[in-house]
Amino acid sequence: IVEWCCNKSGRWREIKMTASDNHQKKRTLLTSTLLLLLLFSWCFVSPLSTSSSFLFATAIAIDTSSSSSSSATRSTTTTTTKPSPIIYKSRDYHLLEIVPHSSTSFTQGLTLSTSTTSKILYEGTGLNYQSQILQHDPNQHMKTLESRNVEPGHLFGEGITCYYVDRLITNGGGEEVVVREHRLIQLTWKDGVGMIYRINDDSSSVDITDSIEEEEGNNNEQQESLELIDTFTFNTHTGEGWGITFVPQTKEFYVSDGSEYIFVWDVETLVEKRRMAVTLERGGGDSDSDGASSSSSSSSVRLKYVNELEFVDFNTKNKCGGDVKDWEIHDVYLEQCQEGDDHQSRYYFSSFNSESSAKSGTEECNDSDDNNTGRFTSTMSILANVWYQDVLIRIDPVTAKVTRVYDLSDIYPYDQRKKDGADCLNGISVTGKESSGEEEEGLELWVTGKLWPKMYRIRLID
């Protein structure tokens, strides 16, 4: 367990210790001390020699220490299934885990694999001639399984996201089946070029009509390989590519370029369908020192420098019943809810108020609006970080209004980053973990930054 404490200057530092082992050591030391005192006292009236008594007492002390250590090991083994302990509590998040991260990685984006057979965390890094795509295993303390250089080398890698496309094909038996192909898309900074990779793993060619359930208890290491299958060109308001995320409900990409806009692209054609200005409600004023530009005399301001994006659902239970295990299953459930409807013109998004939140899952599945495509619930949002601001913002995926701001400034304070040579917060991904009891309720994320030596698993607090 990693304990956090604050020094006199207010800077947070990490102190690594194993609490259970520490407790056992204290108990062992106390027991051994008492035994030694009793046995050394006894040796003065015993026919045994002092040296023999000393050896006898030492042997008992060592045996006691060994037993306690063994007991501690057994105790650790039996408690591994319990919820992760909270290392640190902030107003906006709980810190659950800290894992190593390369301090040479100029992180531009994180994304969790959409595959059902593995939960690989991909990381895209930047800088000319240093850009890479890395595969990490969250089940092995974020061990790096594979790395791939971005080619040609001069390209400056930016945001990445995993996604999938469904293909209707005819199998060997003459039957039409839906095959899901898992992919990863990557943007570049100023080159206006993007890359599409096929993720080759055991689930890349499965009939999804018959394989919705995921096998449990398979802890074998799953390694995926990336195959470059296409490149494309794009244009944005600034001409740059920053962040990108896949929205399975609408089969769209949401893209940022460092401006106040989020661009919505079609997954298949990569054509821009619309763009939305990210707005933040605050008391009037025209100041834009924090990246916000006033849109009018009202309290709504446009928020610039929106960076890394991540589509999330704060509800860990599916609206139509059952746990949501990943984006794939979630998407299939939504299609089941829409059965009998016109899939081309159905949309649902409830406002953030008590009336909408009180609606049952059935009502949310049945309600619709013919004026929009896709389908959202009130718990679905876009999370984003703002360049050189230690915050995450929660964005309404339909209106692009900021509905919540999460302060992460104390997770790796600026003063400490400056001392370590690390840069800003950048990198957000869901963890893929399911809720299992009250202690684990809430959305869990992996977050890190450019040149950060650590990656953090947190739970956002609403």
Side-chain angles (χ1 to χ4, degrees), residues 237-238 240 242-243 256-262 278 288-293 302-309 384-389 391 393 395 424-426 450:
H237 180 68
T238 63
E240 300 178 0
W242 284 36
S256 66
D257 68 344
S259 69
E260 65 268 35
Y261 291 107
I262 287 180
V278 179
D288 61 355
S289 60
D290 61 352
S293 58
R302 293 188 175 190
L303 192 64
K304 295 181 180 178
Y305 309 126
V306 176
N307 199 353
E308 159 83 319
L309 304 175
N385 72 280
V386 181
W387 191 48
Y388 278 99
Q389 300 290 328
V391 298
I393 56 175
I395 304 171
C424 59
L425 171 73
N426 200 30
K450 301 175 182 181

Side-chain angles (χ1 to χ4, degrees), residues 274 344-348 368-374 398:
R274 61 189 181 277
Q344 300 300 317
S345 60
R346 295 298 178 188
Y347 163 83
Y348 175 80
S368 63
D369 183 339
D370 294 335
N371 295 324
N372 299 276
T373 59
V398 177

Side-chain angles (χ1 to χ4, degrees), residues 280-292:
L280 176 67
E281 295 291 333
R282 71 178 187 185
D286 301 323
S287 172
D288 61 355
S289 60
D290 61 352

Side-chain angles (χ1 to χ4, degrees), residues 155-173:
L155 294 177
F156 192 118
E158 276 286 346
I160 61 172
T161 191
C162 288
Y163 72 107
Y164 57 82
V165 292
D166 295 334
R167 305 294 186 196
L168 187 64
I169 65 171
T170 303
N171 63 16

Side-chain angles (χ1 to χ4, degrees), residues 94-286:
H94 289 171
L95 178 60
L96 305 178
E97 185 180 1
I98 304 174
V99 296
H101 179 255
S102 174
S103 59
T104 62
S105 291
F106 200 75
T107 306
Q108 302 288 46
L110 300 176
T111 182
L112 190 69
S113 172
T114 53
S115 166
T116 57
T117 60
S118 64
K119 287 299 179 186
I120 300 298
L121 184 71
Y122 288 90
E123 177 181 5
T125 69
L127 299 179
N128 301 110
Y129 299 98
Q130 298 182 45
S131 299
Q132 291 183 312
I133 298 177
L134 308 170
Q135 293 182 29
H136 305 301
D137 187 352
N139 295 322
Q140 298 189 65
H141 214 52
M142 215 54 76
K143 174 185 175 183
T144 301
L145 305 177
E146 186 176 312
S147 63
R148 177 192 177 98
N149 294 329
V150 174
E151 298 176 350
H154 71 272
L155 294 177
F156 192 118
E158 276 286 346
I160 61 172
T161 191
C162 288
Y163 72 107
Y164 57 82
V165 292
D166 295 334
R167 305 294 186 196
L168 187 64
I169 65 171
T170 303
N171 63 16
E175 299 176 332
E176 287 190 337
V177 295
V178 179
V179 174
R180 178 154 292 175
E181 182 176 281
H182 297 278
R183 296 179 175 181
L184 183 146
I185 187 170
Q186 181 180 35
L187 303 179
T188 57
W189 184 23
K190 293 185 176 182
D191 294 280
V193 176
M195 288 76 71
I196 296 176
Y197 305 86
R198 180 187 292 117
I199 299 175
N200 296 314
D201 75 330
D202 294 338
S203 70
S204 292
S205 298
V206 233
D207 178 3
I208 64 170
T209 59
D210 297 323
S211 58
I212 299 300
E213 293 188 2
E214 179 181 355
E215 290 186 12
E216 301 290 341
N218 183 9
N219 294 323
N220 295 330
E221 181 176 295
Q222 297 286 343
Q223 186 166 342
E224 303 171 344
S225 61
L226 296 178
E227 175 189 357
L228 181 64
I229 59 173
D230 200 7
T231 60
F232 63 95
T233 59
F234 66 88
N235 191 25
T236 60
H237 180 68
T238 63
E240 300 178 0
W242 284 36
I244 184 169
T245 189
F246 173 53
V247 180
Q249 275 61 37
T250 57
K251 301 298 189 296
E252 294 170 330
F253 292 124
Y254 279 41
V255 179
S256 66
D257 68 344
S259 69
E260 65 268 35
Y261 291 107
I262 287 180
F263 306 85
V264 182
W265 294 354
D266 181 84
V267 164
E268 295 281 356
T269 65
L270 302 177
V271 171
E272 181 183 330
K273 299 168 68 174
R274 61 189 181 277
R275 63 179 65 181
M276 306 175 289
V278 179
T279 57
L280 176 67
E281 295 291 333
R282 71 178 187 185
D286 301 323

